[in-house]
Amino acid sequence: MILAKKIRLKPTPEQEQQLWKSAGTARWVYNWTILRQEVNYHKLYDVSNNITKQAVKDACDAYKRFFKRQADQPRFKSRRRTKPSFYNDPVKLKAKLGRVLIEKVGWASTSEQLPMDVKYNNPRISFDGKYWYISVGFEQEIQKPERTGEALGIDVGIKNLAVCSNGMVFKNINKTRAVKKAEKRLRRLQRRVSCKYQMNKEGNRFVKTCNIVKVEKSIRLLHRRLTNIRTNHIHQATNAIVKTKPSKVVMENLNIKGMMKNRHLSKAIAQQKLYEFKRQLQYKCEKYGIGFLEAEQWYPSSKTCSDCGEIKKDLKLSNRVFKCGCGLELERDFNASINLAKLAG
């Protein structure tokens, strides 16, 4: 299967300037393509023409997903909010000990060795607010371990990230002290930069001072830290799940878009990164030969008794313990995970 590898780049100041120019060009061409559906290649000779070609393909692919109802209508990429990134031609990407050759940038140092003597797939260079990275896909054979024959049901939610039918529980990382402390500092910095903008307002425009730039950089780094904490927690949880070596994993089909319409829960749902949890679990199951199933969207996993099968239609979200007339009394999410496991058949 194709595995992805992402490593940090260590560019020189001149190389970093070229990386920013390449990322800006990719964003500009993407936006220009969405507006006009074609691009004038001969005006963009400063960077590799493969960057502009791939940006056009990305915009066209985004519209194809939109027409197939797989995604929302594509929007323009913002210089402030969009992650800077661009494509590199895999044929021209070369790697040697501790270095990698990027088109129009040259040989850049890396934090670790990029796989050599393999065929690279879809190389991308990106900036996460602090460091530059290169990510590539490459073919690799994976030895699939023997599985236990067990079916594992997983119920995800806001109280806990995931509750498994074998008793494993993965906490909500957003309730930990480290995340709460970072979010408190983030709110403080956002209020500070807002006040500074108001103080430096000249007529209808805002003047960006050096102090504002410094505070905005601190805000970007805090966002980066929070994202890394949450993503790392999801990696640890999904790794722990696949290491139990079940034959099948069953989880509910989440309507994330519909859930985000609830203004009381939308922030908590976004912070849990439930789609990222599903994406990681899905590819890791494929990697180790574990079957991955999704229950139907309206399957009443939480309202069904895992013992007798009776459906409790009046169960409210506030009821955290499931009690059935047959005598069963279980924690609500654990009961749901058992019902999901049974769907594996």
Side-chain angles (χ1 to χ4, degrees):
M1 65 179 297
I2 295 178
L3 293 183
K5 179 82 171 177
K6 183 177 181 179
I7 61 173
R8 180 188 154 196
L9 294 172
K10 297 180 178 179
T12 63
E14 293 78 15
Q15 289 175 332
E16 186 167 10
Q17 186 177 2
Q18 189 65 27
L19 290 171
W20 279 114
K21 184 185 289 187
S22 300
T25 300
R27 187 191 66 252
W28 186 89
V29 175
Y30 182 94
N31 293 342
W32 205 89
T33 305
I34 287 179
L35 184 64
R36 299 178 178 87
Q37 296 293 320
E38 53 185 40
V39 68
N40 187 357
Y41 294 103
H42 68 270
K43 291 184 179 179
L44 301 169
Y45 284 133
D46 286 347
V47 297
S48 168
N49 66 335
N50 290 302
I51 293 172
T52 58
K53 289 176 185 177
Q54 189 62 37
V56 174
K57 291 177 184 177
D58 290 345
C60 293
D61 288 342
Y63 261 106
K64 286 177 183 177
R65 290 193 295 271
F66 168 62
F67 293 141
K68 292 178 181 179
R69 301 180 182 272
Q70 296 175 348
D72 292 333
Q73 186 172 358
R75 294 180 293 180
F76 289 118
K77 289 186 176 182
S78 164
R79 180 177 293 186
R80 291 181 59 190
R81 292 184 296 274
T82 305
K83 183 178 181 179
S85 66
F86 61 93
Y87 172 84
N88 195 91
D89 186 356
V91 177
K92 297 178 181 178
L93 181 67
K94 308 294 180 184
K96 60 182 181 182
L97 196 61
R99 305 186 78 191
V100 63
L101 178 63
I102 302 171
E103 276 190 281
K104 302 287 185 176
V105 175
W107 287 98
S109 299
T110 56
S111 60
E112 58 182 282
Q113 181 58 48
L114 194 71
M116 295 190 292
D117 301 323
V118 294
K119 184 178 179 181
Y120 299 122
N121 182 40
N122 195 24
R124 299 276 174 160
I125 291 86
S126 61
F127 183 72
D128 73 342
K130 189 174 183 179
Y131 298 126
W132 284 95
Y133 292 88
I134 181 169
S135 60
V136 297
F138 56 94
E139 288 277 356
Q140 184 176 353
E141 277 194 35
I142 303 294
Q143 289 188 347
K144 297 178 180 178
E146 289 188 17
R147 292 165 291 172
T148 61
E150 174 192 17
L152 192 66
I154 302 173
D155 183 76
V156 295
I158 297 174
K159 183 183 177 183
N160 292 301
L161 172 63
V163 177
C164 304
S165 57
N166 63 356
M168 290 194 303
V169 178
F170 300 97
K171 65 182 179 181
N172 183 344
I173 195 68
N174 300 295
K175 295 180 180 179
T176 59
R177 184 181 176 186
V179 172
K180 287 183 177 180
K181 187 177 179 180
E183 286 185 331
K184 185 177 181 180
R185 175 164 168 72
L186 180 62
R187 289 193 296 270
R188 237 182 242 155
L189 289 174
Q190 286 172 333
R191 285 195 296 266
R192 187 190 300 176
V193 78
S194 179
C195 290
K196 286 184 181 292
Y197 269 117
Q198 291 298 329
M199 289 168 60
N200 292 281
K201 187 175 181 181
E202 293 182 358
N204 294 327
R205 71 187 189 93
F206 296 95
V207 178
K208 183 176 281 194
T209 63
C210 292
N211 283 335
I212 289 176
V213 172
K214 288 179 184 177
V215 178
E216 286 185 338
K217 183 179 180 181
S218 298
I219 289 173
R220 286 197 301 273
L221 291 177
L222 262 179
H223 277 300
R224 174 184 179 273
R225 172 171 164 74
L226 286 166
T227 299
N228 288 344
I229 289 172
R230 289 165 181 149
T231 305
N232 180 62
H233 179 59
I234 292 173
H235 272 297
Q236 290 179 347
T238 49
N239 282 339
I241 289 170
V242 296
K243 282 180 181 178
T244 62
K245 303 174 185 177
S247 291
K248 290 182 181 178
V249 167
V250 186
M251 68 178 292
E252 52 196 330
N253 187 355
L254 301 170
N255 180 18
I256 303 292
K257 189 175 180 180
M259 293 163 70
M260 290 294 290
K261 292 178 181 178
N262 185 331
R263 62 188 181 90
H264 300 291
L265 298 175
S266 58
K267 183 180 178 182
I269 292 167
Q271 289 177 340
Q272 281 287 65
K273 296 171 73 77
L274 297 179
Y275 181 81
E276 177 64 11
F277 177 86
K278 173 191 164 184
R279 187 193 70 82
Q280 288 190 21
L281 185 60
Q282 197 166 6
Y283 87 74
K284 288 174 184 178
C285 284
E286 181 184 353
K287 179 179 177 181
Y288 294 108
I290 299 169
F292 181 85
L293 302 174
E294 280 189 279
E296 292 182 3
Q297 187 173 324
W298 305 112
Y299 175 68
S301 58
S302 297
K303 297 183 178 181
T304 304
C305 176
S306 58
D307 190 15
C308 68
E310 183 184 346
I311 298 176
K312 196 174 183 179
K313 294 183 179 180
D314 59 344
L315 187 71
K316 298 178 181 178
L317 191 61
S318 58
N319 300 135
R320 301 313 305 170
V321 177
F322 184 90
K323 296 179 182 179
C324 182
C326 68
L328 180 75
E329 189 170 326
L330 275 180
E331 201 275 330
R332 175 197 179 108
D333 296 337
F334 183 51
N335 176 68
S337 66
I338 294 173
N339 286 324
L340 290 168
K342 290 181 176 179
L343 290 178

PDB file of all heavy atoms in Angstrom, residues 68-89:
ATOM      1  N   LYS A  68     -20.178  16.093  -7.472  1.00  0.00           N
ATOM      2  CA  LYS A  68     -20.578  14.755  -7.023  1.00  0.00           C
ATOM      3  C   LYS A  68     -21.208  14.781  -5.622  1.00  0.00           C
ATOM      4  O   LYS A  68     -21.487  13.731  -5.047  1.00  0.00           O
ATOM      5  CB  LYS A  68     -19.369  13.823  -7.004  1.00  0.00           C
ATOM      6  CG  LYS A  68     -18.831  13.502  -8.391  1.00  0.00           C
ATOM      7  CD  LYS A  68     -17.601  12.603  -8.289  1.00  0.00           C
ATOM      8  CE  LYS A  68     -17.032  12.277  -9.658  1.00  0.00           C
ATOM      9  NZ  LYS A  68     -15.816  11.429  -9.558  1.00  0.00           N
ATOM     10  N   ARG A  69     -21.395  15.985  -5.070  1.00  0.00           N
ATOM     11  CA  ARG A  69     -21.973  16.173  -3.727  1.00  0.00           C
ATOM     12  C   ARG A  69     -21.115  15.552  -2.621  1.00  0.00           C
ATOM     13  O   ARG A  69     -21.609  15.122  -1.595  1.00  0.00           O
ATOM     14  CB  ARG A  69     -23.405  15.620  -3.654  1.00  0.00           C
ATOM     15  CG  ARG A  69     -24.365  16.264  -4.647  1.00  0.00           C
ATOM     16  CD  ARG A  69     -25.758  15.686  -4.525  1.00  0.00           C
ATOM     17  NE  ARG A  69     -26.662  16.252  -5.501  1.00  0.00           N
ATOM     18  CZ  ARG A  69     -27.376  17.366  -5.310  1.00  0.00           C
ATOM     19  NH1 ARG A  69     -27.264  18.019  -4.163  1.00  0.00           N
ATOM     20  NH2 ARG A  69     -28.194  17.819  -6.234  1.00  0.00           N
ATOM     21  N   GLN A  70     -19.810  15.504  -2.857  1.00  0.00           N
ATOM     22  CA  GLN A  70     -18.888  14.978  -1.858  1.00  0.00           C
ATOM     23  C   GLN A  70     -18.285  16.067  -0.993  1.00  0.00           C
ATOM     24  O   GLN A  70     -17.653  15.788   0.021  1.00  0.00           O
ATOM     25  CB  GLN A  70     -17.765  14.191  -2.549  1.00  0.00           C
ATOM     26  CG  GLN A  70     -18.246  12.953  -3.279  1.00  0.00           C
ATOM     27  CD  GLN A  70     -17.129  12.261  -4.053  1.00  0.00           C
ATOM     28  OE1 GLN A  70     -16.048  12.818  -4.225  1.00  0.00           O
ATOM     29  NE2 GLN A  70     -17.393  11.054  -4.518  1.00  0.00           N
ATOM     30  N   ALA A  71     -18.461  17.327  -1.397  1.00  0.00           N
ATOM     31  CA  ALA A  71     -17.889  18.437  -0.644  1.00  0.00           C
ATOM     32  C   ALA A  71     -18.666  19.709  -0.958  1.00  0.00           C
ATOM     33  O   ALA A  71     -19.475  19.753  -1.889  1.00  0.00           O
ATOM     34  CB  ALA A  71     -16.411  18.617  -1.003  1.00  0.00           C
ATOM     35  N   ASP A  72     -18.423  20.752  -0.168  1.00  0.00           N
ATOM     36  CA  ASP A  72     -19.041  22.048  -0.407  1.00  0.00           C
ATOM     37  C   ASP A  72     -18.410  22.719  -1.620  1.00  0.00           C
ATOM     38  O   ASP A  72     -17.346  22.306  -2.090  1.00  0.00           O
ATOM     39  CB  ASP A  72     -18.881  22.951   0.818  1.00  0.00           C
ATOM     40  CG  ASP A  72     -19.690  22.451   2.009  1.00  0.00           C
ATOM     41  OD1 ASP A  72     -20.713  21.773   1.772  1.00  0.00           O
ATOM     42  OD2 ASP A  72     -19.305  22.736   3.151  1.00  0.00           O
ATOM     43  N   GLN A  73     -19.056  23.792  -2.090  1.00  0.00           N
ATOM     44  CA  GLN A  73     -18.511  24.524  -3.225  1.00  0.00           C
ATOM     45  C   GLN A  73     -17.151  25.111  -2.859  1.00  0.00           C
ATOM     46  O   GLN A  73     -16.982  25.667  -1.773  1.00  0.00           O
ATOM     47  CB  GLN A  73     -19.464  25.663  -3.627  1.00  0.00           C
ATOM     48  CG  GLN A  73     -19.030  26.388  -4.890  1.00  0.00           C
ATOM     49  CD  GLN A  73     -20.074  27.375  -5.370  1.00  0.00           C
ATOM     50  OE1 GLN A  73     -21.135  27.482  -4.762  1.00  0.00           O
ATOM     51  NE2 GLN A  73     -19.794  28.091  -6.437  1.00  0.00           N
ATOM     52  N   PRO A  74     -16.149  24.976  -3.740  1.00  0.00           N
ATOM     53  CA  PRO A  74     -14.801  25.486  -3.416  1.00  0.00           C
ATOM     54  C   PRO A  74     -14.812  26.985  -3.152  1.00  0.00           C
ATOM     55  O   PRO A  74     -15.563  27.741  -3.766  1.00  0.00           O
ATOM     56  CB  PRO A  74     -13.999  25.161  -4.686  1.00  0.00           C
ATOM     57  CG  PRO A  74     -14.745  24.059  -5.349  1.00  0.00           C
ATOM     58  CD  PRO A  74     -16.190  24.293  -5.043  1.00  0.00           C
ATOM     59  N   ARG A  75     -13.963  27.384  -2.212  1.00  0.00           N
ATOM     60  CA  ARG A  75     -13.829  28.795  -1.867  1.00  0.00           C
ATOM     61  C   ARG A  75     -12.405  29.258  -2.153  1.00  0.00           C
ATOM     62  O   ARG A  75     -11.486  28.448  -2.235  1.00  0.00           O
ATOM     63  CB  ARG A  75     -14.153  29.012  -0.379  1.00  0.00           C
ATOM     64  CG  ARG A  75     -15.599  28.730  -0.036  1.00  0.00           C
ATOM     65  CD  ARG A  75     -15.866  28.959   1.436  1.00  0.00           C
ATOM     66  NE  ARG A  75     -15.152  27.984   2.261  1.00  0.00           N
ATOM     67  CZ  ARG A  75     -15.211  27.955   3.580  1.00  0.00           C
ATOM     68  NH1 ARG A  75     -15.928  28.859   4.229  1.00  0.00           N
ATOM     69  NH2 ARG A  75     -14.556  27.043   4.258  1.00  0.00           N
ATOM     70  N   PHE A  76     -12.237  30.564  -2.278  1.00  0.00           N
ATOM     71  CA  PHE A  76     -10.909  31.107  -2.506  1.00  0.00           C
ATOM     72  C   PHE A  76     -10.012  30.840  -1.302  1.00  0.00           C
ATOM     73  O   PHE A  76     -10.475  30.820  -0.167  1.00  0.00           O
ATOM     74  CB  PHE A  76     -10.981  32.618  -2.753  1.00  0.00           C
ATOM     75  CG  PHE A  76     -11.598  32.977  -4.079  1.00  0.00           C
ATOM     76  CD1 PHE A  76     -12.762  33.718  -4.135  1.00  0.00           C
ATOM     77  CD2 PHE A  76     -10.996  32.581  -5.256  1.00  0.00           C
ATOM     78  CE1 PHE A  76     -13.332  34.052  -5.345  1.00  0.00           C
ATOM     79  CE2 PHE A  76     -11.551  32.906  -6.478  1.00  0.00           C
ATOM     80  CZ  PHE A  76     -12.723  33.645  -6.526  1.00  0.00           C
ATOM     81  N   LYS A  77      -8.729  30.645  -1.567  1.00  0.00           N
ATOM     82  CA  LYS A  77      -7.754  30.459  -0.499  1.00  0.00           C
ATOM     83  C   LYS A  77      -7.295  31.824   0.014  1.00  0.00           C
ATOM     84  O   LYS A  77      -7.011  32.720  -0.770  1.00  0.00           O
ATOM     85  CB  LYS A  77      -6.553  29.652  -1.006  1.00  0.00           C
ATOM     86  CG  LYS A  77      -6.882  28.190  -1.259  1.00  0.00           C
ATOM     87  CD  LYS A  77      -5.640  27.406  -1.604  1.00  0.00           C
ATOM     88  CE  LYS A  77      -5.956  25.915  -1.751  1.00  0.00           C
ATOM     89  NZ  LYS A  77      -4.758  25.124  -2.041  1.00  0.00           N
ATOM     90  N   SER A  78      -7.238  31.940   1.326  1.00  0.00           N
ATOM     91  CA  SER A  78      -6.863  33.190   1.968  1.00  0.00           C
ATOM     92  C   SER A  78      -5.382  33.178   2.336  1.00  0.00           C
ATOM     93  O   SER A  78      -4.857  32.157   2.788  1.00  0.00           O
ATOM     94  CB  SER A  78      -7.706  33.397   3.234  1.00  0.00           C
ATOM     95  OG  SER A  78      -7.140  34.387   4.058  1.00  0.00           O
ATOM     96  N   ARG A  79      -4.715  34.317   2.161  1.00  0.00           N
ATOM     97  CA  ARG A  79      -3.303  34.418   2.544  1.00  0.00           C
ATOM     98  C   ARG A  79      -3.134  34.262   4.052  1.00  0.00           C
ATOM     99  O   ARG A  79      -2.155  33.711   4.528  1.00  0.00           O
ATOM    100  CB  ARG A  79      -2.742  35.763   2.093  1.00  0.00           C
ATOM    101  CG  ARG A  79      -1.275  35.960   2.463  1.00  0.00           C
ATOM    102  CD  ARG A  79      -0.725  37.260   1.949  1.00  0.00           C
ATOM    103  NE  ARG A  79      -0.655  37.274   0.496  1.00  0.00           N
ATOM    104  CZ  ARG A  79      -0.102  38.259  -0.217  1.00  0.00           C
ATOM    105  NH1 ARG A  79       0.395  39.306   0.416  1.00  0.00           N
ATOM    106  NH2 ARG A  79      -0.078  38.205  -1.523  1.00  0.00           N
ATOM    107  N   ARG A  80      -4.115  34.723   4.821  1.00  0.00           N
ATOM    108  CA  ARG A  80      -4.014  34.691   6.280  1.00  0.00           C
ATOM    109  C   ARG A  80      -4.467  33.362   6.873  1.00  0.00           C
ATOM    110  O   ARG A  80      -3.888  32.867   7.827  1.00  0.00           O
ATOM    111  CB  ARG A  80      -4.853  35.821   6.899  1.00  0.00           C
ATOM    112  CG  ARG A  80      -4.297  37.207   6.638  1.00  0.00           C
ATOM    113  CD  ARG A  80      -5.148  38.264   7.286  1.00  0.00           C
ATOM    114  NE  ARG A  80      -5.246  38.080   8.728  1.00  0.00           N
ATOM    115  CZ  ARG A  80      -6.074  38.740   9.507  1.00  0.00           C
ATOM    116  NH1 ARG A  80      -6.919  39.616   8.987  1.00  0.00           N
ATOM    117  NH2 ARG A  80      -6.096  38.533  10.810  1.00  0.00           N
ATOM    118  N   ARG A  81      -5.527  32.777   6.311  1.00  0.00           N
ATOM    119  CA  ARG A  81      -6.137  31.613   6.956  1.00  0.00           C
ATOM    120  C   ARG A  81      -5.759  30.274   6.319  1.00  0.00           C
ATOM    121  O   ARG A  81      -5.875  29.231   6.960  1.00  0.00           O
ATOM    122  CB  ARG A  81      -7.669  31.761   6.973  1.00  0.00           C
ATOM    123  CG  ARG A  81      -8.161  32.874   7.870  1.00  0.00           C
ATOM    124  CD  ARG A  81      -9.678  32.908   7.929  1.00  0.00           C
ATOM    125  NE  ARG A  81     -10.256  33.219   6.634  1.00  0.00           N
ATOM    126  CZ  ARG A  81     -10.453  34.463   6.193  1.00  0.00           C
ATOM    127  NH1 ARG A  81     -10.073  35.488   6.927  1.00  0.00           N
ATOM    128  NH2 ARG A  81     -10.997  34.679   5.020  1.00  0.00           N
ATOM    129  N   THR A  82      -5.359  30.272   5.056  1.00  0.00           N
ATOM    130  CA  THR A  82      -5.051  29.018   4.371  1.00  0.00           C
ATOM    131  C   THR A  82      -3.611  28.586   4.662  1.00  0.00           C
ATOM    132  O   THR A  82      -2.697  29.410   4.690  1.00  0.00           O
ATOM    133  CB  THR A  82      -5.235  29.170   2.848  1.00  0.00           C
ATOM    134  OG1 THR A  82      -6.560  29.634   2.586  1.00  0.00           O
ATOM    135  CG2 THR A  82      -5.025  27.840   2.147  1.00  0.00           C
ATOM    136  N   LYS A  83      -3.423  27.300   4.879  1.00  0.00           N
ATOM    137  CA  LYS A  83      -2.088  26.758   5.128  1.00  0.00           C
ATOM    138  C   LYS A  83      -1.244  26.878   3.860  1.00  0.00           C
ATOM    139  O   LYS A  83      -1.608  26.344   2.815  1.00  0.00           O
ATOM    140  CB  LYS A  83      -2.220  25.292   5.538  1.00  0.00           C
ATOM    141  CG  LYS A  83      -0.908  24.621   5.892  1.00  0.00           C
ATOM    142  CD  LYS A  83      -1.168  23.187   6.325  1.00  0.00           C
ATOM    143  CE  LYS A  83       0.117  22.483   6.703  1.00  0.00           C
ATOM    144  NZ  LYS A  83      -0.132  21.086   7.140  1.00  0.00           N
ATOM    145  N   PRO A  84      -0.091  27.587   3.904  1.00  0.00           N
ATOM    146  CA  PRO A  84       0.761  27.710   2.713  1.00  0.00           C
ATOM    147  C   PRO A  84       1.307  26.344   2.295  1.00  0.00           C
ATOM    148  O   PRO A  84       1.895  25.622   3.100  1.00  0.00           O
ATOM    149  CB  PRO A  84       1.895  28.639   3.186  1.00  0.00           C
ATOM    150  CG  PRO A  84       1.365  29.328   4.395  1.00  0.00           C
ATOM    151  CD  PRO A  84       0.434  28.348   5.044  1.00  0.00           C
ATOM    152  N   SER A  85       1.121  25.993   1.031  1.00  0.00           N
ATOM    153  CA  SER A  85       1.616  24.707   0.530  1.00  0.00           C
ATOM    154  C   SER A  85       1.698  24.747  -0.988  1.00  0.00           C
ATOM    155  O   SER A  85       1.038  25.571  -1.632  1.00  0.00           O
ATOM    156  CB  SER A  85       0.706  23.555   0.974  1.00  0.00           C
ATOM    157  OG  SER A  85      -0.565  23.675   0.379  1.00  0.00           O
ATOM    158  N   PHE A  86       2.503  23.869  -1.559  1.00  0.00           N
ATOM    159  CA  PHE A  86       2.574  23.753  -3.009  1.00  0.00           C
ATOM    160  C   PHE A  86       3.071  22.359  -3.382  1.00  0.00           C
ATOM    161  O   PHE A  86       3.557  21.608  -2.540  1.00  0.00           O
ATOM    162  CB  PHE A  86       3.475  24.841  -3.623  1.00  0.00           C
ATOM    163  CG  PHE A  86       4.906  24.805  -3.168  1.00  0.00           C
ATOM    164  CD1 PHE A  86       5.867  24.112  -3.879  1.00  0.00           C
ATOM    165  CD2 PHE A  86       5.293  25.488  -2.025  1.00  0.00           C
ATOM    166  CE1 PHE A  86       7.188  24.075  -3.463  1.00  0.00           C
ATOM    167  CE2 PHE A  86       6.621  25.469  -1.604  1.00  0.00           C
ATOM    168  CZ  PHE A  86       7.564  24.762  -2.323  1.00  0.00           C
ATOM    169  N   TYR A  87       2.926  22.035  -4.653  1.00  0.00           N
ATOM    170  CA  TYR A  87       3.240  20.708  -5.199  1.00  0.00           C
ATOM    171  C   TYR A  87       4.651  20.705  -5.777  1.00  0.00           C
ATOM    172  O   TYR A  87       5.154  21.723  -6.250  1.00  0.00           O
ATOM    173  CB  TYR A  87       2.212  20.382  -6.280  1.00  0.00           C
ATOM    174  CG  TYR A  87       2.461  19.158  -7.105  1.00  0.00           C
ATOM    175  CD1 TYR A  87       2.080  17.900  -6.652  1.00  0.00           C
ATOM    176  CD2 TYR A  87       3.050  19.245  -8.364  1.00  0.00           C
ATOM    177  CE1 TYR A  87       2.289  16.760  -7.429  1.00  0.00           C
ATOM    178  CE2 TYR A  87       3.252  18.121  -9.149  1.00  0.00           C
ATOM    179  CZ  TYR A  87       2.878  16.882  -8.675  1.00  0.00           C
ATOM    180  OH  TYR A  87       3.074  15.780  -9.449  1.00  0.00           O
ATOM    181  N   ASN A  88       5.294  19.552  -5.737  1.00  0.00           N
ATOM    182  CA  ASN A  88       6.602  19.364  -6.368  1.00  0.00           C
ATOM    183  C   ASN A  88       6.528  18.156  -7.297  1.00  0.00           C
ATOM    184  O   ASN A  88       5.984  17.114  -6.919  1.00  0.00           O
ATOM    185  CB  ASN A  88       7.679  19.145  -5.300  1.00  0.00           C
ATOM    186  CG  ASN A  88       9.078  19.297  -5.864  1.00  0.00           C
ATOM    187  OD1 ASN A  88       9.656  20.381  -5.861  1.00  0.00           O
ATOM    188  ND2 ASN A  88       9.649  18.205  -6.372  1.00  0.00           N
ATOM    189  N   ASP A  89       7.063  18.293  -8.480  1.00  0.00           N
ATOM    190  CA  ASP A  89       7.057  17.192  -9.448  1.00  0.00           C
ATOM    191  C   ASP A  89       7.808  15.986  -8.864  1.00  0.00           C
ATOM    192  O   ASP A  89       8.994  16.107  -8.522  1.00  0.00           O
ATOM    193  CB  ASP A  89       7.726  17.647 -10.743  1.00  0.00           C
ATOM    194  CG  ASP A  89       7.623  16.606 -11.848  1.00  0.00           C
ATOM    195  OD1 ASP A  89       7.094  15.508 -11.575  1.00  0.00           O
ATOM    196  OD2 ASP A  89       8.065  16.890 -12.974  1.00  0.00           O
TER     197      ASP A  89
END
